[in-house]
Amino acid sequence: MKQAGFDKSVGKANAPRRFGLQLLIALLVGGGLWVAIAPQLRLGLGNFTGQLPTGLDAPYRYPFSQSLPSNGNPAAIVQREIAFYQERISRDPTGGLNRAALAGSYLKMARATGESSWYLLAEQAAQRSLAHLPFENDGAVVALARVAEARHDFSAALRWAARAPNHEDALGIQVTANLALGRVDQAAQAANALVEGTPTLAALTLQALVQNAQGQDAAVLQTFQQALATEEPGEPGGSAWARTLLGRFYAQRGNPELAAKLYRQALNILPRYPLALVHLAELETRLGQYRAAEQHYAQVLSYPKGSSTVFDHVVLRGQSRLKALQGDAAAAREWQDKAEKRLRQDLTAFGHRRELARLLLERGQSADLVEALSLMRAEVQVRQDAPTLDTLAWSLSRLGRWREAQAAMRQALRWGARDAGLFYRAGRIEQALGNPAQAQAFFQAAQATDPRFDLQARQALGLDWSGVGD
């Protein structure tokens, strides 16, 4: 993928790089991926000693030494930051700015560890900050915008962000929230403005995500390369995040070898980085490398008793699919039950309706299908991105409501997203409606998007388990 004349100076900017903006989407793309006394850190991000070979071409290879002080354990660094602001608050209990800064640090910790309790601490700190300093307190306002987004309340996130238009993270929130709401045009406007103002690693990665939602594959690759050309040694979180998202893009385009290399490069930068581990495990599942997938899922789940993370349900569902693919139905049900329990526990606080609906659709019992549709009817009131509308179409098709499913799928595809799973489900819907030519066109689009989109791939993605309605 190396391009002639690729210049590391492209897109350089001197604007500050904030850990929060760089890692915001990591939770969103990880599956709803969200959010007291400080819980114990569970990931051990700095304890990994081995180096994973990657063999990446220069544009994608991490160019900095892993021994640089700025590339230390992010969680430990943020923990010191939290202690610093807590000490300042103890000396000035009514100071609003210190509490706003503390809220921001709690959010950084939430994204570094995946532990949901940090979001609650961030919300409490931001609210108390605004109580002490209700005006000109953009830090607290933006913190509440991020918490709202973590809870899938994207309209509220936009309202909060609008109250801090001059804050450097406000445009980033506009990108991610509008993407979730299905307003891809508005997300593109915000991403373009963000890149024009500060063409950083984080800003360019957000722009690549918007281009991906529009099906602009060539632009996605160009923007990711620009993004990696701007990275600096003090932003390991953003560097790992960008490579993980680029790896996901290649996995969805039938290049699992390069995807795996990018995931492993991300794990070199941030050992035990949960987003990379989850995507690597999903890729290994698709390739039939079940033992390796189980090992990577286990790394994500190795946390202290009683601690919950935004990745739990993703891992539990992934383990269920692994067992099903290996023919162990009893173990698959056991893992699925664990995932359902976790999703229902988090349903009110973090709005995992779509993820619960998908689990119920995979299980496929009559009561499950009815509940799944009810969940998706509620979900589309707050989120209308392509994966959400696809899940709505899936729930409608499982109940035989094919015309409604067709309308939902057309909405999912309206911005031009190229996704083999979307095309495949659209083809199954057209097939059921007696439209063989349209069905074949969608099946061909799925194969063109991902030439390795076979039965194993579909089952690894939760498709093709229970018959024509899948």
Side-chain angles (χ1 to χ4, degrees):
M1 295 304 303
K2 186 174 182 178
Q3 295 183 346
F6 188 76
D7 186 354
K8 288 285 291 181
S9 66
V10 173
K12 279 286 182 183
N14 295 322
R17 287 155 171 81
R18 289 185 58 111
F19 191 78
L21 178 60
Q22 294 165 346
L23 291 184
L24 173 61
I25 296 299
L27 299 183
L28 286 167
V29 298
L33 288 174
W34 306 76
V35 201
I37 307 309
Q40 293 182 0
L41 301 181
R42 68 179 182 85
L43 294 176
L45 294 172
N47 297 330
F48 185 87
T49 57
Q51 291 294 307
L52 298 167
T54 61
L56 280 171
D57 290 338
Y60 298 153
R61 191 182 308 130
Y62 190 61
F64 307 111
S65 170
Q66 298 299 106
S67 62
L68 290 171
S70 57
N71 283 355
N73 180 346
I77 293 170
V78 179
Q79 185 68 74
R80 291 194 292 271
E81 186 177 306
I82 289 171
F84 171 79
Y85 287 116
Q86 287 175 333
E87 193 277 332
R88 294 192 65 171
I89 290 169
S90 70
R91 290 189 280 109
D92 181 20
T94 62
L97 293 180
N98 285 326
R99 290 192 186 277
L102 179 62
S105 298
Y106 285 148
L107 285 170
K108 291 178 187 179
M109 188 65 85
R111 293 166 193 135
T113 67
E115 291 183 1
S116 55
S117 56
W118 292 108
Y119 285 99
L120 304 179
L121 290 171
E123 182 179 38
Q124 292 168 6
Q127 289 173 340
R128 294 184 69 181
S129 173
L130 283 175
H132 292 301
L133 184 63
F135 305 105
E136 297 185 5
N137 191 352
D138 287 357
V141 168
V142 167
L144 290 172
R146 294 207 181 283
V147 172
E149 193 166 37
R151 288 178 166 161
H152 297 180
D153 191 348
F154 303 105
S155 295
L158 288 173
R159 289 194 298 270
W160 281 112
R163 290 179 54 178
N166 297 320
H167 194 279
E168 60 187 301
D169 286 359
L171 277 174
I173 294 168
Q174 289 181 36
V175 175
T176 55
N178 278 310
L179 274 179
L181 289 167
R183 303 170 184 170
V184 177
D185 52 348
Q186 294 181 44
Q189 292 173 9
N192 292 340
L194 186 62
V195 169
E196 289 172 6
T198 55
T200 62
L201 171 66
L204 286 159
T205 303
L206 287 174
Q207 186 178 56
L209 288 176
V210 175
Q211 292 164 341
N212 189 44
Q214 297 170 317
Q216 300 176 7
D217 283 11
V220 169
L221 292 176
Q222 182 180 5
T223 302
F224 266 122
Q225 289 188 352
Q226 265 191 298
L228 295 179
T230 69
E231 68 184 335
E232 294 183 355
E235 50 187 8
S239 295
W241 170 53
R243 285 172 176 81
T244 301
L245 298 186
L246 180 57
R248 185 184 64 158
F249 174 85
Y250 276 116
Q252 294 173 339
R253 296 298 182 272
N255 192 339
E257 296 82 9
L258 183 51
K261 289 178 180 179
L262 284 158
Y263 296 151
R264 292 187 173 110
Q265 181 79 109
L267 290 168
N268 269 342
I269 300 168
L270 284 186
R272 297 188 67 180
Y273 177 42
L275 190 67
L277 286 169
V278 164
H279 281 299
L280 183 56
E282 290 175 348
L283 182 65
E284 289 162 340
T285 301
R286 177 172 172 172
L287 297 175
Q289 299 169 1
Y290 301 140
R291 180 172 297 180
E294 287 178 348
Q295 291 173 346
H296 285 119
Y297 278 137
Q299 285 181 281
V300 181
L301 279 182
S302 57
Y303 55 87
K305 185 177 181 181
S307 177
S308 64
T309 82
V310 297
F311 295 96
D312 289 352
H313 68 88
V314 180
V315 173
L316 295 170
R317 288 177 62 209
Q319 291 279 26
S320 176
R321 287 178 187 162
L322 278 173
K323 295 303 180 183
L325 286 165
Q326 295 175 81
D328 191 343
R333 285 193 297 271
E334 183 178 347
W335 282 106
Q336 194 174 65
D337 289 345
K338 292 178 181 178
E340 181 181 2
K341 181 179 179 181
R342 172 59 64 192
L343 284 166
R344 291 193 185 280
Q345 287 174 345
D346 293 343
L347 195 60
T348 301
F350 293 103
H352 289 316
R353 286 181 293 263
R354 185 177 73 189
E355 289 68 34
L356 178 57
R358 287 174 173 172
L359 182 149
L360 296 172
L361 289 165
E362 286 182 31
R363 191 164 62 191
Q365 299 173 5
S366 296
D368 293 335
L369 303 183
V370 173
E371 183 182 4
L373 179 57
S374 176
L375 288 166
M376 292 313 302
R377 291 292 194 199
E379 184 68 5
V380 294
Q381 300 303 311
V382 297
R383 180 161 56 167
Q384 293 193 18
D385 56 2
T388 301
L389 291 164
D390 170 52
T391 308
L392 174 62
W394 185 9
S395 63
L396 289 163
S397 66
R398 290 301 305 272
L399 290 168
R401 299 167 67 163
W402 298 106
R403 289 293 179 191
E404 294 172 83
Q406 182 189 53
M409 185 55 67
R410 287 176 176 171
Q411 281 290 99
L413 295 170
R414 72 190 186 280
W415 293 107
R418 297 186 65 238
D419 182 277
L422 285 175
F423 291 142
Y424 177 76
R425 199 180 319 281
R428 298 293 290 270
I429 292 169
E430 296 298 335
Q431 193 176 55
L433 287 169
N435 302 323
Q438 294 93 322
Q440 188 60 28
F442 278 122
F443 292 145
Q444 290 174 350
Q447 202 64 30
T449 301
D450 181 354
R452 301 190 187 187
F453 191 70
D454 55 12
L455 177 61
Q456 173 79 16
R458 295 195 296 272
Q459 290 182 338
L461 294 170
L463 296 163
D464 260 347
W465 287 106
S466 305
V468 71
D470 292 351

